[in-house]
């Protein structure tokens, strides 16, 4: 008779696709099950782990990045292996996973951006903010992206924290950014930047801003840039005023207070201006070969049937000359081969983390689970992923108990290692990553910078060529 699943001779084998926060928190919760023997293989299509902590969090926010210490501890636990530079759907398929594992957790995040659906959106000079973020964070896919920083006027569309990050990076001096781990080539280009006016455009009012207090406050603390807010735009409509007066939403109350402070302060003459605009929606990007201007419509707010304050266009328009536009209106997930997908929301349909065939009356898909932004959409901070991943893993554990997971024909850590060796000999282990990590820190040290990242996969593999074979993961590593 076979031992029950989760014992030393019959460990529970789980594949996690994606190595960002949600994937690591799922691994952590599996490791916490003291009554279960679990083997976890985490895959990432990049050689480097940590998802948006490496490729998304702003370089000038090092404290947020220190969460990787927690992930390093998780990766060092017995039974955990990392396979970087291994792409789901290319090097390893869903059918392969079913051969070797009892379950898979998709933790791939939201890798694309939401569209505005306005004329001119695809003109040269119009970019998803997420591309700029990936570029300045040395993401290999965006290493060769081009942003024309010779222009003076830039528009950032959206009032979220990504819009704040992009604005801050554009507004800072090269000296302010020097010690950070911003990509070396991005630092060079930003040093030459001619950008003077950054228009941050919100379709609703100050009280509906999606950014948080530290992020809007930071914009007022920069060496060469200052925030400009027109006092007229701080005059709230009655519904927003009532919302702020009620005081329940402390973040919104403080945001409005900070913005009022900027409006009162006025222009103190710093060379770069961050011009916050409210109640405006872009209706067209204008230009022949590239973006030359953005056409905006003035909005008013109305209360919809759900009681939310939504924007509604008026018949007032204005046009602002800008040469560069960053659309920062949210991320959007992309489908994975063979896995259900709900295009409208850009997520994998699921019931509290159990993948379902669809959202409407969907049946549960055995063995498949989802965590993070590809589960719930692109919202929340890093810590939001912890309870989210715990919820999913708890459901997986219930399914293990009920024997409702996959029955692999080769539940064997060596067998899958051999498959990966064959399909992608240049896979990267966690020990390999630690070599890269050290090399990046070392490159930074000699320059007085916190880190100088590698941004090309071939350069990373070049560094690893000497040590790679020593680091092949063993069962129980
Ligand atoms: P977000 O917080 O959802 O903000 C999106 C912004 O885009 C909102 O202001 C939204 O306005 C606006 N928007 C959406 N559709 C629009 C349209 N068609 N036209 C004009 N504006 C539109 O998204 P995000 O900035 O991408 O951030 C994603 C998540 O990561 C958030 O939870 C964020 O807090 C988090 N994050 C955190 C940090 C940090 O902690 N420092 C840094 C970066 C990101 P409406 O409100 O009117 O919809």
């Amino acid at each position: 008779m076979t031992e029950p699943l989760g014992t030393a001779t019959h460990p529970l084998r789980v594949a996690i696709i994606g190595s960002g926060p949600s994937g690591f928190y799922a691994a952590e919760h599996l490791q916490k099950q003291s009554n279960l023997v679990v083997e976890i293989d985490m895959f990432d299509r990049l050689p480097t782990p940590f998802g948006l902590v490496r490729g998304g969090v702003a370089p000038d926010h090092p404290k947020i990045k220190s969460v990787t210490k927690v992930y390093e501890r998780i990766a060092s636990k017995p039974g955990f292996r990392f396979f970087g530079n291994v792409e789901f759907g290319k090097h390893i398929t869903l059918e392969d996973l079913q051969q070797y594992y009892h379950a898979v957790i998709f933790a791939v995040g939201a890798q694309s951006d939401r569209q505005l659906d306005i004329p001119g959106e695809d003109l040269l000079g119009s970019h998803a903010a997420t591309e700029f973020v990936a570029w300045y964070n040395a993401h290999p896919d965006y290493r060769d992206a081009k942003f024309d920083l010779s222009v003076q006027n830039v528009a950032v569309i959206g009032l979220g924290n990504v819009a704040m990050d992009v604005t801050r990076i554009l507004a800072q001096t090269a000296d302010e950014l020097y010690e950070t781990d911003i990509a070396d080539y991005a630092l060079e280009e930003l040093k030459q930047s001619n950008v003077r006016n950054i228009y941050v455009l919100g379709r609703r009012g100050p009280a509906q801003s999606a950014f948080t207090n530290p992020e809007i406050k930071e914009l007022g603390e920069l060496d060469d840039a200052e925030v400009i807010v027109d006092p007229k735009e701080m005059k709230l409509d009655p519904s927003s005023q009532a919302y702020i007066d009620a005081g329940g939403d402390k973040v919104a109350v403080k945001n409005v207070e900070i913005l009022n402070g900027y409006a009162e302060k006025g222009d103190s003459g710093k060379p770069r201006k961050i011009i916050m605009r409210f109640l405006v929606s872009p209706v067209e990007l204008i230009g022949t070969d590239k973006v030359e201007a953005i056409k905006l419509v003035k909005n008013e707010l109305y209360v919809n049937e759900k009681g939310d304050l939504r924007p509604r266009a008026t018949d007032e328009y204005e046009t602002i000359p800008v040469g560069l536009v960053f659309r920062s209106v949210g991320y959007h997930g992309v489908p994975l081969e063979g896995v259900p997908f709900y295009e409208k929301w850009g997520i994998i349909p699921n019931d509290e983390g159990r993948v379902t065939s669809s959202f409407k009356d969907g049946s549960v898909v055995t063995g498949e689970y989802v965590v993070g932004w590809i589960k719930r959409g692109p919202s929340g901070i890093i810590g939001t992923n912890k309870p989210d991943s715990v919820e999913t893993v708890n459901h997986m554990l219930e399914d293990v108990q009920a024997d409702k997971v996959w029955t692999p024909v080769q539940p064997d850590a060596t067998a899958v290692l051999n498959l990966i060796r064959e399909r992608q000999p240049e896979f990267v282990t966690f020990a390999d990553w630690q070599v890269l990590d050290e090399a990046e820190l070392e490159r930074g040290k000699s320059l007085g910078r916190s880190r100088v990242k590698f941004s090309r996969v071939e350069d990373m593999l070049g560094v690893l060529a000497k040590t790679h074979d020593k680091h092949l993961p063993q069962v129980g590593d």
Side-chain angles (χ1 to χ4, degrees):
M1 199 188 107
T2 341
E3 286 285 305
L5 193 51
T7 50
T9 52
H10 195 194
L12 172 66
R13 295 186 35 73
V14 180
I16 299 179
I17 311 297
S19 65
S22 65
F24 270 102
Y25 292 128
E28 181 182 46
H29 195 57
L30 282 167
Q31 290 173 340
K32 278 189 178 159
Q33 308 308 308
S34 52
N35 55 340
L36 272 189
V37 179
V38 186
E39 290 178 356
I40 300 164
D41 285 345
M42 181 178 272
F43 296 87
D44 202 297
R45 71 186 186 86
L46 290 182
T48 52
F50 309 143
L52 279 184
V53 178
R54 179 176 166 97
V57 171
D60 56 340
H61 281 173
K63 264 198 199 142
I64 300 182
K65 290 174 196 252
S66 62
V67 70
T68 55
K69 291 272 165 273
V70 175
Y71 308 153
E72 281 162 10
R73 274 202 299 278
I74 295 166
S76 71
K77 294 263 163 70
F80 181 101
R81 302 188 297 186
F82 174 70
F83 293 101
N85 208 22
V86 178
E87 187 170 343
F88 175 81
K90 182 175 169 189
H91 302 116
I92 193 150
T93 64
L94 190 60
E95 290 71 40
D96 295 327
L97 296 177
Q98 288 167 343
Q99 305 268 314
Y100 301 103
Y101 299 93
H102 298 100
V104 60
I105 300 176
F106 297 107
V108 294
Q111 293 169 51
S112 181
D113 60 293
R114 266 191 218 136
Q115 298 289 299
L116 283 171
D117 291 326
I118 57 169
E121 187 165 4
D122 297 325
L123 275 173
L124 207 65
S126 161
H127 306 273
T130 54
E131 288 170 19
F132 187 57
V133 169
W135 173 76
Y136 65 62
N137 277 324
H139 190 300
D141 290 359
Y142 297 90
R143 170 65 180 82
D144 297 313
K146 295 273 172 270
F147 303 96
D148 183 3
L149 299 172
S150 71
V151 304
Q152 292 214 342
N153 293 349
V154 179
V156 177
I157 303 166
L159 294 181
N161 279 332
V162 172
M164 293 295 101
D165 285 349
V166 164
T167 301
R168 209 173 58 254
I169 296 298
L170 286 168
Q172 282 180 103
T173 62
D175 278 353
E176 282 172 297
L177 291 169
Y178 186 80
E179 285 182 15
T180 73
D181 68 357
I182 193 167
D184 48 359
Y185 54 84
L187 183 64
E188 272 314 302
E189 297 229 0
L190 286 161
K191 205 188 229 169
Q192 316 296 328
S193 164
N194 278 334
V195 170
R196 286 292 167 269
N197 300 308
I198 306 161
Y199 295 90
V200 184
L201 307 172
R203 64 176 168 181
R204 297 193 287 160
Q208 291 81 36
S209 305
F211 46 69
T212 38
N213 305 150
E215 281 68 22
I216 185 66
K217 192 162 168 285
E218 259 177 305
L219 290 187
E221 296 163 353
L222 306 180
D223 287 352
D224 272 5
E226 64 182 329
V227 184
I228 304 293
V229 178
D230 181 347
K232 286 202 286 293
E233 292 204 349
M234 288 308 297
K235 195 170 169 347
L236 302 184
D237 63 285
S239 303
S240 298
Q241 190 62 58
Y243 182 71
I244 293 299
D245 290 345
D249 182 346
K250 295 209 163 31
V251 175
V253 170
K254 188 77 187 161
N255 277 343
V256 168
E257 185 190 312
I258 296 167
L259 289 164
N260 270 324
Y262 293 141
E264 279 159 30
K265 177 193 66 59
D267 187 334
S268 67
K270 286 190 179 178
R272 280 183 175 156
K273 312 289 180 201
I274 297 163
I275 302 147
M276 305 290 303
R277 294 291 313 275
F278 298 98
L279 292 169
V280 286
S281 277
V283 288
E284 186 180 355
L285 302 186
I286 301 165
T288 17
D289 301 326
K290 66 183 290 293
V291 176
E292 289 161 28
I294 186 167
K295 185 175 175 187
L296 306 173
V297 66
K298 183 94 190 139
N299 292 330
E300 60 188 11
L301 295 178
Y302 74 102
V303 182
N304 71 5
E305 63 287 352
K306 289 189 206 148
D308 298 330
L309 273 174
R310 301 304 306 163
R312 179 165 59 198
T314 67
D315 56 6
E316 244 182 86
Y317 294 89
E318 69 177 298
T319 299
I320 305 176
V322 291
L324 195 55
V325 172
F326 291 110
R327 308 177 313 261
S328 184
V329 296
Y331 287 75
H332 194 87
V334 293
L336 293 169
E337 205 173 309
V339 183
F341 192 67
Y342 185 57
E343 179 56 43
K344 192 172 171 202
W345 295 345
I347 62 178
I348 295 175
N350 68 91
D351 182 8
E352 295 181 349
R354 286 182 175 111
V355 174
T356 55
S357 56
S358 72
F359 265 122
K360 206 167 169 247
D361 310 322
S363 52
V364 167
V365 181
T366 304
E368 296 180 32
Y369 300 85
V370 65
V371 291
W373 280 5
I374 197 67
K375 170 186 175 185
R376 65 175 196 276
S379 67
I381 56 170
I382 291 171
T384 315
N385 292 299
K386 204 168 177 171
D388 174 288
S389 294
V390 166
E391 175 186 72
T392 296
V393 169
N394 282 342
H395 285 313
M396 177 196 286
L397 295 171
E398 283 163 26
D399 296 345
V400 168
Q401 286 298 316
D403 210 7
K404 285 185 187 159
V405 287
W406 292 334
T407 313
V409 286
Q410 289 196 76
D412 175 356
T414 310
V416 77
L417 176 59
N418 289 337
L419 177 89
I420 293 160
R421 270 194 181 132
E422 190 187 305
R423 299 260 181 90
Q424 172 53 316
E426 293 182 309
F427 71 92
V428 169
T429 66
F430 204 79
D432 285 333
W433 152 246
Q434 287 169 320
V435 171
L436 279 178
D437 186 28
E438 271 306 310
E440 288 188 344
L441 293 170
E442 200 51 47
R443 277 160 37 120
K445 209 186 264 171
S446 56
L447 296 168
R449 303 196 55 205
S450 55
R451 170 188 297 271
V452 176
K453 286 179 175 176
F454 294 104
S455 54
R456 296 199 188 278
V457 172
E458 58 267 32
D459 291 346
M460 300 181 198
L461 298 179
V463 171
L464 297 177
K466 287 191 211 106
T467 50
H468 181 70
D469 284 348
K470 277 195 250 139
H471 291 134
L472 284 180
Q474 303 304 315
V475 184
D477 256 10

